[in-house]
Amino acid sequence: MKKYGKNYILAIALLCVSLSVNADFESAGDAYKDGDYETAAKEFLPLAEAGDHRAMYALWSMYAAGHGVPWALKEALKWFRKAATYGRPDAQYKIGVMYDRGLVLKQDYRKALHWYGKSAKNGFGLAQYKIGQMYVSGHGVEQNFIKAYAWLKSAISQGVEDKGGTLAALTSELHSTQYIRSEWPCPAIYGKIPPQVLIGQLGVFTGKTLID
């Protein structure tokens, strides 16, 4: 009975802490929306230092824009990396974009693929699409149209638009070069295989970085 009482008290305490953190974040968010960036930054900082990935992400944007804090890309990137390391797939994806395009960070396709891979592993469709494009272009990874097809299909199944027509062009290429027929006994079935199963069968996942 005493043990139950202690657990109950602990649960209530944790709930209060959680509610307090959410309230603090909302307060900081309200200050930001009102244009009171200095107050927002002051309230976001202790939350970020305590491990709140939402506050980390907010500080990244504020340092990058100079809102409420001195403009400092190095500091912005520090918080962005922390948010990405915490596991935010959108932050992981954007770090991939930075390396991919050479924005703020020195262009490095292998590092871009590494961060896209982390984001894709967390189910972020845009990152999966980028990996598909890299397999098409051969940037940062050996060109492989079959793996590209798998990643692009997975991304589009999540609602990512094939704006550049990459998948459409690739599908046509695969059919014309007989890749699909050589990889699968029945081409008609190929398009019906769930993307996640397809990726697994093609051996795209190798360790944590999803590179090979």
Side-chain angles (χ1 to χ4, degrees):
M1 189 73 179
K2 290 182 179 180
K3 184 178 180 181
Y4 174 80
K6 289 181 180 178
N7 288 339
Y8 180 76
I9 293 172
L10 178 60
I12 293 297
L14 291 174
L15 177 61
C16 290
V17 170
S18 177
L19 291 174
S20 175
V21 169
N22 285 328
D24 290 342
F25 182 82
E26 289 181 7
S27 173
D30 288 340
Y32 185 90
K33 291 176 184 177
D34 292 339
D36 187 357
Y37 299 129
E38 289 188 9
T39 296
K42 289 177 181 178
E43 294 185 1
F44 278 136
L45 184 58
L47 294 174
E49 290 175 339
D52 191 321
H53 65 89
R54 300 169 303 172
M56 295 174 188
Y57 199 84
L59 284 175
W60 136 259
S61 64
M62 295 182 77
Y63 275 107
H67 286 164
V69 291
W71 179 79
L73 286 180
K74 186 176 181 180
E75 188 70 11
L77 189 59
K78 180 189 83 171
W79 287 112
F80 205 43
R81 282 187 180 278
K82 283 180 178 291
T85 302
Y86 185 91
R88 279 193 67 125
D90 51 350
Q92 293 167 338
Y93 166 74
K94 289 180 180 177
I95 288 181
V97 171
M98 290 180 191
Y99 276 118
D100 195 359
R101 299 181 183 177
L103 301 174
V104 183
L105 298 170
K106 183 179 179 180
Q107 190 174 51
D108 188 320
Y109 292 129
R110 293 290 291 181
K111 288 183 179 179
L113 186 65
H114 171 79
W115 284 102
Y116 285 149
K118 284 180 174 290
S119 181
K121 188 176 181 180
N122 285 322
F124 201 65
L126 288 173
Q128 294 176 355
Y129 191 83
K130 281 291 187 180
I131 292 175
Q133 289 183 317
M134 294 183 83
Y135 270 116
V136 170
S137 66
H139 286 161
V141 69
E142 185 177 351
Q143 191 177 57
N144 188 312
F145 290 164
I146 299 296
K147 289 182 179 181
Y149 181 89
W151 280 112
L152 293 170
K153 285 285 285 186
S154 182
I156 289 171
S157 73
Q158 296 186 63
V160 177
E161 293 184 34
D162 187 27
K163 292 183 178 180
T166 305
L167 179 61
L170 182 59
T171 301
S172 177
E173 175 68 17
L174 287 172
H175 276 293
S176 67
T177 57
Q178 302 295 305
Y179 268 110
I180 288 180
R181 290 179 174 78
S182 67
E183 287 289 328
W184 301 96
C186 181
I189 295 175
Y190 184 69
K192 298 179 182 179
I193 298 175
Q196 292 78 6
V197 175
L198 180 61
I199 290 174
Q201 290 178 344
L202 292 172
V204 177
F205 291 93
T206 57
K208 298 181 179 180
T209 59
L210 313 178
I211 289 176
D212 299 314

